[in-house]
Amino acid sequence: MSSNPVLRLSRISKRFGPLRANEAISFDLKRGEVIALLGENGAGKTTLMNILFGHYVADEGTVEAFGKPLPPGDPRAALDAGIGMVHQHFTLADNMTVQENIALGTQSLWRMRLDRAAARRRIEQLSADFGLAVEPAATVSTLSVGERQRVEILKALYREARILILDEPTAVLTPAETDALFRTLKLLVAKDLSIIFISHKLHEVMAVSDRVLVLRSGQLVGERETGATDRKELAALMVGQEVKPAEVSPVKLGAPLLALERVSTTPYNGAGLDKVSLTLTAGEITGLAGVAGNGQAVLAALIAGIRRPTGGSISIAGREIADWSPRVALAHGVARIPEDRHAIGSIGDMSVTENVIAERYRSPRFSRMGFLNWKAAGRFAEKLIADYDVKCPSPEARIRLLSGGNMQKLILGRALDPDPAVILASQPTRGLDVGAVAYVHRMLLEARDRGAAILLISEDLEEVLALSDRIIVMSKGRLSTPSSRGERSIRELGELMAGHSGEHSDHAA
Amino acid sequence: MRLEPKPAPSLAVTLLFPLAAIATTLVLTSILVLAAGASPLSVFYLVAKGAAGSQFALLETLTRATPLIFTGLAIAVAFRAKLWNIGAEAQLYIGGVVTVVLGTGALPLPSVILIPVIMVAVMAAGALLLLGPAVLKTRFGVDEVVTTLLLNFIVLLFVSMLLEGVLKDPMGLGWPQSQKVVAEAQLPRLIQGKRLHYGFVIALASAVLVWVVMKKTVLGYEMRAVGLNPEGARFVGILVNRALMKTALLSGGLAALAGFSEVSGLKGNLTLDLSPGYGYTGIVVAMLAMLNPLGVIASAIFVAGIFVGADAMSRAAKVPSYIADVMVATSLLTMVVAILLTRFRIRWR
């Protein structure tokens, strides 16, 4: 490992209005080094990488790549300087082949003929060198998520990237795919590439990085050699205090509340459901693990009421409900915490007050004769802000201005306030900082102890393991048989997630 | 060059930007005034004087603002829910048709009953006219910009057919015009001997009512939610399509009132030149008001003032009164840019 830096960020600052997204952040990246950039959502990781990659212009500070200053605000210059970025959401053309995607934009428009054979040879060479197995002639739409990520990495390598930025790369991977990715990273580093690995998962950071930089509220609060630190210290740095894991009391099962009977749906953000049966019981958290795109999205949408089944039945407390919709779900005491709090869970340009009454504005508490009772609504908003410790300037502030954690607390408060019988929590802690995650977990466990039936859908296996009394794995639109707390090992669950086992059954749960 | 989002603008900024937009408009239109060989300062002075320099001028401006308040409100309501109603012109004419159908002696009723009856019928007709495009949008995903815009031409031809046929005034010397409405169906003048009529008062009251609906009622809340985030609105249990239907009914009804007010309050009969594009100018009015119902009053008076003032100015300064169209159009463009600047910051580089 040579000691001269390939990338140097000097005192990068960036403000959005009163918000200091980055404040005087400096660090060096050495040749052949893996840096982990750790921090809660809103800590400034993404802003920093966007500045580095030229999407934003820093207010102050400079970026140097290989000893030469990088002109600000020019993604092209970043690419030319050998910086490659693998975004969390892939940027591939689905209807084109792997090879076309990789070669796209690398050859002059004025060339009469593409040199396909040479491109293919290079891609195959790179695949073999770095363990990125993928068929160049395959159409991208037929690939798995893990394969698509490999294509993204190949794309960067094909452009001769010497510095690779990976933004939350493991969020969409199975444990086995994650292991494969980490092996690839080791091979890359062995060839003297340098890597910035953005994550909020501590165990991954510990597994792959040489050095960890911790960001908090836009500031670089800690820099540790990975070998000389541990998860506890990093977690404390991230949130500024030590975090205790949630304590789980013994389960007290009640009556079955919500039941899906052989329910099928059309595909929606991934696979559709294929004759899924599932019963949620009072006093129990059912955890649904799985790789993204295997039907979790449509299951959540179905229970939330925004999707209808094409077959099968939904019943609540034993009574079949024919006309299922968001209103009907709410009326039957089903609380929903949606996966996407920005697109679906909130109306960004409306105020906190207007958002917290959204599910109940028609009730006599908040409206009479078609007129809204803004006083009652305002009191309710203030109560939630106080009870859930939400940091926001005022109940009149647009909810868009709140951080992800504070927004999620409000959505949680809105859902839990009426003391719901059934709770659907879909990726409830995605993108939240450690402190907010612990808070959300505590609230869910409290609701369970009060006797709510909870379905927790999460791509974060650790979260599912920590909270669930019963774990079900979803794969290709079907459910595995359930296992109780601690019954299956992570490896067994991982195999179910990858769909390798024939354990799926129609009458799973 | 790129745009970066800014936090919510303060009230001062929100009020300042429209003024800055108007100032920019004046600078830009100065170029055309100079090209016409006149002095911009004297031309703008003459426009202002022609719009508000005397009692006559001021009353004329308010008279001209009346239909613009109605159409501006119609557009403001629809655009809040992101229902792009470009058909206020058609709804206005349908309002005029219903006014003369019911107001030329068909209903022998006293004024206090006849006028409310006509208004209800007018609003129902305008509402139904916009309901068609709204149903097509919610059921089949047909773009309402296209359907409402094209309906303008269909309705204008329909009115032309009526005025050459069943509604044609037998005493009209062959002109395509309807009979005059009876005295009971006329809105009285606000000041004896002047043109300003009670339609202006109804317009002001409508603006206040619409403001109350948008701010204080469940319906207004649903409309705003649907406009800002339809997916989010659906998730929390708002019946999105039903809210859009209600929006369409309210918007169409308001635009139709413009036609009623012009026929009943000012012209007395229906002709093909009832509206010099009030339905389209209503879009400018609503945008200048940033879709605020009370702001519509101010922006309608402003736009009307430019048109009235430009007429007076062109007689004195020999600059064509088309400068008014340029000023109104430019003010729309500068206002759109101003709204953009309240929400985003521009970075050069």
Side-chain angles (χ1 to χ4, degrees):
Chain A
M1 208 187 282
S2 129
S3 66
N4 52 330
V6 293
L7 188 71
R8 167 167 283 171
L9 274 69
S10 312
R11 303 193 60 77
I12 298 281
S13 293
K14 176 78 184 171
R15 275 181 206 99
F16 296 105
L19 179 78
R20 292 156 186 269
N22 285 159
E23 216 174 327
I25 293 179
S26 308
F27 69 84
D28 290 347
L29 177 65
K30 298 190 197 77
R31 192 180 299 275
E33 183 185 38
V34 181
I35 282 189
L37 206 55
L38 185 68
E40 59 188 52
N41 218 39
K45 292 173 298 187
T46 309
T47 304
L48 189 62
M49 289 306 111
N50 277 331
I51 290 170
L52 172 55
F53 205 65
H55 289 312
Y56 286 158
V57 180
D59 296 333
E60 283 160 45
T62 54
V63 180
E64 269 178 44
F66 300 97
K68 285 196 240 29
L70 213 54
D74 189 355
R76 189 85 232 171
L79 278 172
D80 291 344
I83 300 174
M85 184 143 180
V86 176
H87 292 275
Q88 194 174 356
H89 301 285
F90 302 143
T91 54
L92 299 172
D94 279 356
N95 55 346
M96 293 170 84
T97 65
V98 168
Q99 178 174 342
E100 285 165 339
N101 265 287
I102 291 172
L104 197 66
T106 58
Q107 297 193 7
S108 164
L109 285 175
W110 306 108
R111 292 264 302 260
M112 294 302 287
R113 209 170 50 80
L114 296 173
D115 195 351
R116 288 174 188 277
R120 188 184 167 99
R121 275 196 304 279
R122 256 200 81 202
I123 293 168
E124 282 169 346
Q125 187 63 47
L126 288 169
S127 300
D129 284 355
F130 299 112
L132 293 161
V134 58
E135 166 55 45
T139 308
V140 165
S141 59
T142 64
L143 300 184
S144 73
V145 179
E147 286 173 311
R148 286 177 204 216
Q149 187 174 63
R150 280 177 240 155
V151 177
E152 284 281 9
I153 296 173
L154 280 172
K155 215 164 100 180
L157 298 177
Y158 190 86
R159 286 165 171 72
E160 294 179 349
R162 302 298 300 162
I163 300 167
L164 206 55
I165 304 169
L166 299 157
D167 189 4
E168 304 270 356
T170 59
V172 291
L173 301 183
T174 61
E177 285 174 324
T178 302
D179 289 346
L181 172 68
F182 289 175
R183 280 196 298 278
T184 295
L185 296 187
K186 294 244 152 57
L187 291 170
L188 290 170
V189 170
K191 294 266 172 164
D192 268 357
L193 267 82
S194 309
I195 293 168
I196 299 179
F197 182 90
I198 302 173
S199 182
H200 63 264
K201 293 186 185 165
L202 293 166
H203 62 281
E204 292 177 355
V205 166
M206 295 300 294
V208 295
S209 67
D210 302 312
R211 200 148 53 99
V212 188
L213 303 175
V214 185
L215 287 186
R216 187 171 80 229
S217 320
Q219 287 176 317
L220 191 59
V221 292
E223 183 178 345
R224 298 283 186 277
E225 295 294 327
T226 310
T229 184
D230 56 28
R231 288 165 65 160
K232 236 171 111 184
E233 186 192 19
L234 291 178
L237 277 172
M238 247 165 101
V239 285
Q241 67 206 21
E242 281 211 32
V243 187
K244 287 194 212 93
E247 282 176 31
V248 182
S249 53
V251 66
K252 285 195 285 283
L253 277 185
L257 289 179
L258 182 133
L260 305 182
E261 190 66 37
R262 297 179 64 80
V263 167
S264 300
T265 67
T266 50
Y268 165 76
N269 285 355
L273 301 183
D274 181 14
K275 298 195 189 97
V276 162
S277 296
L278 172 71
T279 304
L280 301 181
T281 308
E284 183 183 56
I285 296 183
T286 304
L288 197 70
V291 180
N294 274 289
Q296 299 97 319
V298 74
L299 179 63
L302 179 80
I303 295 177
I306 53 176
R307 285 255 137 186
R308 299 244 175 125
T310 51
S313 67
I314 302 171
S315 49
I316 296 234
R319 210 153 49 87
E320 191 178 325
I321 313 274
D323 204 16
W324 191 244
S325 73
R327 272 193 192 195
V328 172
L330 285 166
H332 284 89
V334 178
R336 296 101 26 94
I337 298 160
E339 174 175 350
D340 191 332
R341 55 184 160 269
H342 298 278
I344 292 184
S346 66
I347 296 171
D349 284 318
M350 280 190 146
S351 70
V352 169
T353 305
E354 287 170 311
N355 271 284
V356 295
I357 63 163
E359 290 183 333
R360 287 198 283 160
Y361 65 92
R362 289 178 312 278
S363 76
R365 181 172 169 193
F366 296 120
S367 66
R368 212 175 319 132
M369 316 262 293
F371 280 83
L372 285 163
N373 183 349
W374 285 120
K375 277 206 183 112
R379 277 197 302 273
F380 179 53
E382 274 164 17
K383 176 179 174 292
L384 286 188
I385 288 169
D387 289 357
Y388 287 78
D389 190 26
V390 178
K391 294 197 179 51
C392 81
S394 91
E396 302 311 312
R398 284 189 297 157
I399 202 165
R400 182 187 295 286
L401 299 174
L402 270 55
S403 75
N406 285 311
M407 200 187 273
Q408 191 72 344
K409 282 178 177 176
L410 283 171
I411 292 172
L412 203 65
R414 172 175 89 184
L416 299 185
D417 182 80
D419 209 1
V422 179
I423 298 169
L424 162 72
S426 187
Q427 320 290 353
T429 59
R430 177 182 281 174
L432 299 189
D433 62 82
V434 180
V437 169
Y439 187 85
V440 171
H441 287 175
R442 204 162 64 239
M443 295 312 293
L444 289 176
L445 286 168
E446 276 177 30
R448 155 196 183 264
D449 293 342
R450 280 200 304 272
I454 299 176
L455 178 64
L456 169 71
I457 301 178
S458 178
E459 280 153 24
D460 185 346
L461 196 50
E462 287 206 4
E463 175 172 84
V464 173
L465 290 169
L467 294 183
S468 311
D469 302 307
R470 196 170 63 132
I471 298 177
I472 299 172
V473 176
M474 185 157 216
S475 165
K476 300 192 180 84
R478 315 189 92 189
L479 300 181
S480 73
T481 52
S483 57
S484 54
R485 193 182 284 278
E487 192 182 319
R488 284 195 183 113
S489 69
I490 290 189
R491 184 149 300 281
E492 285 170 324
L493 290 172
E495 277 173 11
L496 286 174
M497 283 162 74
H500 287 157
S501 162
E503 229 183 302
H504 297 267
S505 72
D506 285 355
H507 295 283
Chain B
M1 179 189 140
R2 68 183 78 242
L3 296 174
E4 285 179 8
K6 274 204 300 206
S10 67
L11 183 67
V13 170
T14 311
L15 293 176
L16 206 67
F17 269 78
L19 296 179
I22 290 166
T24 312
T25 302
L26 294 182
V27 172
L28 290 174
T29 42
S30 299
I31 299 166
L32 283 179
V33 173
L34 286 171
S39 143
L41 282 181
S42 68
V43 163
F44 294 142
Y45 170 73
L46 286 170
V47 170
K49 194 173 149 207
S54 63
Q55 192 206 29
F56 171 81
L58 200 58
L59 290 178
E60 196 52 33
T61 295
L62 296 182
T63 308
R64 191 81 72 96
T66 302
L68 290 177
I69 295 175
F70 284 118
T71 54
L73 287 173
I75 304 292
V77 162
F79 281 19
R80 263 284 177 248
K82 297 234 161 72
L83 178 74
W84 307 114
N85 175 15
I86 315 296
E89 189 78 0
Q91 292 138 26
L92 179 152
Y93 271 99
I94 284 294
V97 168
V98 171
T99 307
V100 296
V101 166
L102 297 179
T104 46
L107 301 173
L109 294 168
S111 225
V112 284
I113 301 176
L114 183 56
I115 286 180
V117 165
I118 292 178
M119 283 176 67
V120 168
V122 160
M123 289 190 76
L128 285 176
L129 191 61
L130 188 51
L131 200 59
V135 168
L136 287 175
K137 174 194 169 79
T138 51
R139 283 288 142 79
F140 305 110
V142 180
D143 192 337
E144 74 276 21
V145 171
V146 176
T147 49
T148 55
L149 180 65
L150 292 183
L151 263 179
N152 287 339
F153 302 101
I154 295 169
V155 167
L156 209 60
L157 288 168
F158 174 66
V159 171
S160 169
M161 183 193 83
L162 292 178
L163 290 181
E164 292 289 359
V166 290
L167 287 184
K168 189 166 183 172
D169 181 4
M171 312 297 283
L173 304 172
W175 292 100
Q177 63 185 38
S178 77
Q179 279 183 290
K180 292 260 179 202
V181 294
V182 297
E184 286 80 13
Q186 281 179 16
L187 289 168
R189 297 286 149 108
L190 266 175
I191 304 166
Q192 204 58 45
K194 305 284 195 249
R195 275 157 52 92
L196 189 64
H197 53 89
Y198 267 89
F200 182 65
V201 178
I202 299 174
L204 294 184
S206 302
V208 173
L209 277 177
V210 170
W211 181 82
V212 168
V213 167
M214 298 310 287
K215 283 276 172 195
K216 307 278 181 194
T217 69
V218 166
L219 175 61
Y221 175 78
E222 289 180 338
M223 283 163 55
R224 284 183 292 129
V226 167
L228 288 170
N229 181 354
E231 286 300 307
R234 197 158 78 93
F235 178 78
V236 295
I238 293 173
L239 305 176
V240 173
N241 285 352
R242 200 179 287 181
L244 282 173
M245 293 296 166
K246 290 177 187 166
T247 307
L249 294 176
L250 183 56
S251 173
L254 284 165
L257 280 181
F260 156 76
S261 153
E262 285 297 280
V263 170
S264 235
L266 195 63
K267 304 279 176 66
N269 64 354
L270 178 63
T271 58
L272 270 180
D273 58 1
L274 181 68
S275 157
Y278 289 139
Y280 300 104
T281 312
I283 299 172
V284 184
V285 168
M287 294 302 290
L288 284 178
M290 296 202 260
L291 307 188
N292 181 321
L294 297 181
V296 162
I297 299 173
S299 69
I301 292 173
F302 170 73
V303 169
I306 288 181
F307 280 115
V308 172
D311 282 343
M313 178 277 298
S314 73
R315 286 191 291 274
K318 299 206 174 64
V319 174
S321 64
Y322 292 118
I323 196 75
D325 294 297
V326 177
M327 283 176 80
V328 169
T330 312
S331 68
L332 175 62
L333 294 178
T334 54
M335 191 61 204
V336 169
V337 173
I339 292 172
L340 183 83
L341 290 179
T342 59
R343 318 189 103 224
F344 296 95
R345 173 182 299 124
I346 293 185
R347 292 264 168 180
W348 307 97
R349 269 223 57 87

